[in-house]
Amino acid sequence: MQPIDEQHIAEPGLVVLDITGGDEDTVRAVMTALEERWATSGIVPMRRDPGEPGVRARIYADVLRPGREAP
């Protein structure tokens, strides 16, 4: 993963989430659940690192803004 630059999360409520799961379906389910709760960068491409177990993804979220399922 690329380093997180302090400027990316300079505003209150912005977070960077690195997700690691055993398989793509699990990571996709987590991203979907987060997207329903908060405004996020959505379902992003996943990657596998050679020699490392699991699948990884990085998403950005604004925890002060509701997600797509909010009224």
Side-chain angles (χ1 to χ4, degrees), residues 35-68:
E35 184 178 46
E36 291 171 359
R37 181 177 181 121
W38 298 317
T40 72
S41 54
I43 306 299
V44 298
M46 292 168 256
R47 65 183 183 82
R48 292 182 183 270
D49 292 330
E52 296 289 324
V55 180
R56 291 174 173 72
R58 174 176 282 176
I59 66 169
Y60 301 87
D62 183 343
V63 300
L64 300 179
R65 290 185 23 213
R68 63 187 170 123

